[in-house]
Amino acid sequence: MTSEFILEVKGLKKYFQAGSSGWFSKNGKQVHAVDDIHLQLKHGEVIALVGESGCGKSTLALTLLGLEEATAGQILFNGQDVTHLADKEKKEMRRKIQMVFQDPYESLNPTQTIQEIVVEPLVVHGIGANETERLERTKKALEDSGLKPAETYLNRFPHQLSGGQRQRVVIASALALEPQLLVADEPVSMLDVSIRAEIINLLAELQKTRGISVIFITHDLGTVGFFADRVAVMYLGRIVEIGGMNDVLKNTKHPYSQALLSVIPVPNPRLRRKRIILQGETPNPVNLPSGCRFHPRCPIAEEKCKQQDPHLFNLNATHQAACLLLENYQ
Ligand code: SF4
């Protein structure tokens, strides 16, 4: 039976040995990069994963793709447990889950032509009966990604394209494999502001026409407001708020989400929110604060927030803000 969800994540954790990823610890402590994530994604759904740099959203994406091994928890893809797969099965799964990375300058091999770049994954996965068929797929993927006519791009090299065109090539090479899930990790943050909207519109159109599910990772909630069905806000390895995009935008519950939302530029001055500037730095994920891990920066923290971890007793934490004081400031 086909699962209702394309992706289910249950209690997923990814810890690194401290010191192996830039944080130094003498005590053999661990970096809690992803810490007890629960998430469900329906077929054809778009979810925005939002949070500041270092909150664990990219590590979560890499773990979902099997590029990082999960420390604990379970990942189900189309109802099948894919948490710890053998290499052969992993390869097959990666065809169905494709990733668009942040930096189109680094994700394209500068020595390959655009044709070689897009054809390569088809060859690796044994897709297409022959070269002619693979070339046709390549051209279609390029044209669907806005690079028309495809023939004018096939023999060019990445350095001969603009930043936006390069990101379109990255998207084309993911699309050529006809994935069911696209994980886009900050796909527009390296691009000029003028072409960000074009790339987001392209992803929105592809999602609509192909029915692909999308996880859109961003630090800027403002970039995906119109595109995503739901939003999950991450802080220090955990989802602190999740809900329908409109619900979260109109009725933001968690103080961290409120701070993120308050800094989104709004052209109409009458609709502008009061900016909430959080005090202090994001704590070191090796030495997490006691109680609620947001308490050192939370503008409404109370004494009990230092002792109680709302995530641990809020059994429905993935469906509402995991906060002790919700009723006090709604
Ligand atoms: Fe702030 Fe306390 Fe809610 Fe944490 S539990 S977000 S510290 S009010």
Side-chain angles (χ1 to χ4, degrees), residues 238 288-296 303-313 324:
R238 282 188 177 163
L288 292 166
S290 62
C292 173
R293 52 185 69 182
F294 185 55
H295 88 255
E303 204 46 41
K304 63 179 172 183
C305 302
K306 295 181 189 169
Q307 279 106 41
Q308 298 179 51
D309 181 353
H311 189 77
L312 294 181
F313 59 80
L324 294 168

Side-chain angles (χ1 to χ4, degrees), residues 107-319:
S107 45
L108 297 177
N109 183 338
T111 65
Q112 287 183 311
T113 63
I114 303 308
Q115 178 176 336
E116 287 165 344
I117 287 169
V118 183
V119 161
E120 189 172 76
L122 296 174
V123 174
V124 168
H125 288 279
I127 294 172
N130 50 43
E131 266 182 40
T132 314
E133 198 179 313
R134 283 194 279 272
L135 181 59
E136 283 315 305
R137 273 180 179 260
T138 298
K139 287 200 242 174
K140 178 156 184 357
L142 286 171
E143 299 212 337
D144 284 356
S145 305
L147 297 172
K148 298 180 193 173
E151 285 78 4
T152 57
Y153 293 93
L154 291 174
N155 295 320
R156 289 160 83 175
F157 288 87
H159 74 269
Q160 295 172 310
L161 304 182
S162 68
Q165 287 171 331
R166 278 185 254 213
Q167 196 59 301
R168 286 175 191 272
V169 173
V170 174
I171 293 168
S173 84
L175 281 185
L177 293 173
E178 299 184 349
Q180 297 171 16
L181 171 62
L182 199 63
V183 181
D185 188 3
E186 302 269 13
V188 295
S189 60
M190 301 284 288
L191 303 177
D192 287 347
V193 176
S194 57
I195 37 179
R196 285 181 190 177
E198 284 179 26
I199 297 295
I200 292 175
N201 285 339
L202 169 66
L203 288 171
E205 193 188 312
L206 291 171
Q207 187 278 328
K208 225 172 166 182
T209 51
R210 296 189 174 221
I212 310 173
S213 309
V214 180
I215 298 178
F216 192 105
I217 297 170
T218 179
H219 65 278
D220 179 4
L221 198 45
T223 56
V224 277
F226 78 97
F227 171 36
D229 301 304
R230 286 192 302 145
V231 58
V233 180
M234 277 188 79
Y235 184 77
L236 268 183
R238 282 188 177 163
I239 291 176
V240 295
E241 182 159 5
I242 187 167
M245 181 55 89
N246 285 337
D247 293 343
V248 172
L249 289 180
K250 283 188 193 138
N251 185 21
T252 321
K253 291 187 169 72
H254 198 278
Y256 176 65
S257 320
Q258 291 176 336
L260 282 186
L261 202 63
S262 76
V263 295
I264 296 176
V266 178
N268 184 342
R270 280 186 295 179
L271 297 178
R272 268 182 212 149
R273 297 177 170 87
K274 185 169 174 256
R275 282 171 76 91
I276 302 169
I277 307 297
L278 294 174
Q279 301 301 312
E281 297 290 319
T282 309
N284 185 333
V286 176
N287 298 308
L288 292 166
S290 62
C292 173
R293 52 185 69 182
F294 185 55
H295 88 255
R297 303 174 76 197
C298 180
I300 58 162
E302 291 187 357
E303 204 46 41
K304 63 179 172 183
C305 302
K306 295 181 189 169
Q307 279 106 41
Q308 298 179 51
D309 181 353
H311 189 77
L312 294 181
F313 59 80
N314 187 342
L315 295 177
N316 204 19
T318 56
H319 299 287

Side-chain angles (χ1 to χ4, degrees), residues 9 12-16 21 23 31-37 39 49-64 68 99 183 185-186 215 217-219 232-239 256 282-283 285 288 293:
V9 178
L12 189 68
K13 296 182 182 180
K14 177 62 195 174
Y15 296 170
F16 295 98
S21 54
W23 288 283
V31 179
H32 296 66
V34 171
D35 204 5
D36 202 16
I37 294 285
L39 190 67
L49 209 51
V50 186
E52 59 200 337
S53 151
C55 72
K57 50 196 191 316
S58 294
T59 305
L60 172 60
L62 295 175
T63 312
L64 294 179
E68 292 286 357
M99 188 143 179
V183 181
D185 188 3
E186 302 269 13
I215 298 178
I217 297 170
T218 179
H219 65 278
V233 180
M234 277 188 79
Y235 184 77
L236 268 183
R238 282 188 177 163
I239 291 176
Y256 176 65
T282 309
L288 292 166
R293 52 185 69 182

